[in-house]
């Protein structure tokens, strides 16, 4: 599935890497949507009369600003001005949900959807208290049924136009949207600074900048501690195996995964791949002789099969990682811009340099 990155989201199968087909409803908009659009039109007319300082093209025009607001955010080419913290938020994909919960925003969340991994233990109780709209991305109508005023997407597919969930469609219904910044980095490589900036931005939107700053400080400290532990260790060459049989789908140099490996005292053997993810040949894997293979884990499934598949390939027999059976496992969600990045650096560092943590 193309989710802003060229990464398939499904259980591992060496012989079939096809994406799941969405079954989201494409039916007509419910009556409540028409009412929302009518209300928005009336609001814009009021703003146009000059009764407030807001512009007519702002969905928040005419609203009273809360303390510390207005807050204006430019996100992936969409500029939004918030006059108060959104009271009813929906998250699509796991990493936005965990970020919001880590900021203590459970009471603002009216729905979530689409798990990639097991929820962090410390957030499980709060996560379970939030309505689950669907196992995959919910339909536009399903999201609207929660009466949200804010939708936070983790991958570009959260706002897939072909599924009727475009950011414009939500804007037309008077609902603000925000997309995880990893999906709009452009030519710039994604780093941990993007993770910290994402947390701070969401903190600003919800009026909890103090909590965001505290969380960033905590994560930065954990990353620095893990990196310091392996600072003098030898760089270990790492091949990321996401999926694929005829070719290997791997992490390139533009995504956060590349940065995580570097911070953990490793070297991504495909850091020269000018993309977040991409396909490489098995001959290239053999030529680059990785010391360790990092397996990306999708919701706790397929790791044993991935390992068995790699170990069974005669062409890979002389690759150091295969010969020494050196694998590390990373939950997919750990590799994304969100609150798990520090866990990924720590876990990778221990897997690459176990001698540094004895």
């Amino acid at each position: 599935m193309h989710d802003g990155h060229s990464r398939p989201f499904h259980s591992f199968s060496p012989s079939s890497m096809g994406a799941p087909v969405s079954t989201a409803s494409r039916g007509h908009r419910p009556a409540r949507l028409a009412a929302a659009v009518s209300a928005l039109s009336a609001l814009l007319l009021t703003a146009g009369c000059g009764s407030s300082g807001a512009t007519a093209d702002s969905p928040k025009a005419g609203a009273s600003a809360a303390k510390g607001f207005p807050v204006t955010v430019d996100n992936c080419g969409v500029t939004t001005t918030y006059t108060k913290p959104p009271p009813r938020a929906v998250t699509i994909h796991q990493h936005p949900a965990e970020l919001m919960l880590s900021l203590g925003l459970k009471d603002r969340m009216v729905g979530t959807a689409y798990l990639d991994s097991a929820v962090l233990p410390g957030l499980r109780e709060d996560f379970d208290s939030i309505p689950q709209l669907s196992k995959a991305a919910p339909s536009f109508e399903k999201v609207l049924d929660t009466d949200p005023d804010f939708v936070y997407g983790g991958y570009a597919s959260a706002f897939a136009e072909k599924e009727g969930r475009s950011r414009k469609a939500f804007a037309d219904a008077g609902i603000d949207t925000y997309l995880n910044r990893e999906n709009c980095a452009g030519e710039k490589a994604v780093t941990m600074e993007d993770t910290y900036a994402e947390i701070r931005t969401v903190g600003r939107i919800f009026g909890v900048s103090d909590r965001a700053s505290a969380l960033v400080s905590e994560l930065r400290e954990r990353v620095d501690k893990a990196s310091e532990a392996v600072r003098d260790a030898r760089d270990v060459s790492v091949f990321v195996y996401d999926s694929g049989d005829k070719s290997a789908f791997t992490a390139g140099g533009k995504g956060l995964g590349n940065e995580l490996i570097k911070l953990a005292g490793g070297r991504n053997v495909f850091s020269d791949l000018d993309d977040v993810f991409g396909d490489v040949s098995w001959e290239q894997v053999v030529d680059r002789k990785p010391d360790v293979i990092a397996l990306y884990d999708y919701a706790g499934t397929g790791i044993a099969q991935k390992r068995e598949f790699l170990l069974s390939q005669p062409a890979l027999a002389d690759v150091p990682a295969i010969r020494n059976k050196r694998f590390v496992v990373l939950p997919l969600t750990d590799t994304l811009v969100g609150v798990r990045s520090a866990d990924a650096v720590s876990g990778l560092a221990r897997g690459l340099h176990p001698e540094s943590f004895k």
Side-chain angles (χ1 to χ4, degrees):
M1 179 185 296
H2 186 75
D3 264 323
H5 306 315
S6 302
R7 178 194 292 122
F9 287 85
H10 53 86
S11 299
F12 171 77
S13 173
S15 62
S16 175
M17 289 294 154
V21 178
S22 171
T23 56
S25 168
R26 297 289 299 274
H28 65 279
R29 296 180 183 178
R32 65 177 304 283
L33 174 56
V37 174
S38 298
L40 175 62
S41 300
L43 189 59
L44 296 181
L45 286 172
T46 301
C49 295
S51 59
S52 75
T55 58
D57 60 354
S58 167
K60 302 298 185 185
S64 299
K67 184 178 180 180
F69 287 77
V71 167
T72 298
V73 172
D74 184 8
N75 169 241
C76 299
V78 176
T79 300
T80 305
T81 296
Y82 301 87
T83 59
K84 62 180 181 179
R88 298 181 62 83
V90 168
T91 57
I92 301 177
H93 301 115
Q94 184 172 350
H95 46 305
E98 291 188 339
L99 195 159
M100 287 192 63
L101 290 174
S102 296
L103 291 175
L105 297 171
K106 178 183 71 170
D107 61 329
R108 308 288 178 82
M109 299 173 68
V110 296
T112 190
Y114 213 144
L115 283 177
D116 288 321
S117 308
V119 176
L120 289 171
L123 301 176
R124 184 82 229 187
E125 184 176 348
D126 285 346
F127 187 91
D128 287 345
S129 71
I130 301 165
Q132 306 299 298
L133 304 185
S134 66
K135 291 184 178 180
S139 69
F140 183 66
E141 291 81 1
K142 187 74 173 179
V143 176
L144 258 61
D145 283 345
T146 69
D147 194 26
D149 50 17
F150 180 85
V151 178
Y152 182 6
Y155 305 113
S157 65
F159 303 117
E161 185 173 0
K162 66 180 180 180
E163 299 293 341
R165 292 189 308 271
S166 69
R167 297 186 76 173
K168 183 180 184 301
F170 282 113
D172 288 346
I175 300 167
D176 292 325
T177 56
Y178 183 88
L179 178 61
N180 185 284
R181 69 184 57 232
E182 190 170 8
N183 298 275
C184 51
E187 294 301 310
K188 184 177 73 70
V190 179
T191 71
M192 279 299 297
E193 293 303 320
D194 290 290
T195 289
Y196 303 144
E198 179 84 355
I199 293 168
R200 289 194 182 100
T201 299
V202 175
R204 288 176 58 220
I205 291 172
F206 285 90
V208 292
S209 291
D210 54 342
R211 300 181 199 171
S213 294
L215 180 56
V216 167
S217 295
E218 177 195 339
L219 295 179
R220 191 187 294 274
E221 182 178 349
R222 290 166 55 196
V223 169
D224 290 347
K225 182 178 179 180
S227 292
E228 182 62 32
V230 298
R231 188 175 304 280
D232 298 325
R234 177 183 70 88
D235 274 353
V236 173
S237 58
V238 180
F239 162 56
V240 172
Y241 180 58
D242 179 284
S243 56
D245 56 353
K246 302 302 182 185
S247 60
F249 197 61
T250 191
K254 289 292 183 68
L256 183 61
N258 188 69
E259 167 95 337
L260 299 177
I261 292 170
K262 187 186 304 182
L263 289 168
R267 175 178 56 82
N268 178 10
V269 296
F270 288 105
S271 62
D272 59 337
L273 182 63
D274 193 30
D275 205 341
V276 176
F277 269 78
D279 287 298
V280 297
S281 70
W282 291 113
E283 289 78 10
Q284 288 175 292
V285 176
V286 172
D287 287 344
R288 300 196 182 193
K289 301 178 174 63
D291 297 312
V292 176
I293 297 177
L295 302 174
Y296 278 7
D297 183 12
Y298 289 71
T301 62
I303 288 301
Q305 295 96 314
K306 288 184 181 184
R307 193 191 313 260
E308 181 180 346
F309 170 71
L310 294 172
L311 290 172
S312 69
Q313 302 305 304
L316 301 178
D318 289 331
V319 171
I322 296 295
R323 189 170 61 244
N324 299 317
K325 297 183 179 180
R326 287 199 65 188
F327 297 93
V328 293
V329 177
L330 277 177
L332 175 65
T333 311
D334 286 17
T335 70
L336 306 173
V337 169
V339 298
R340 292 177 175 239
S341 306
D343 292 335
V345 174
S346 179
L348 268 173
R350 290 175 181 275
L352 302 183
H353 301 285
E355 70 283 354
S356 298
F357 295 89
K358 290 180 179 178

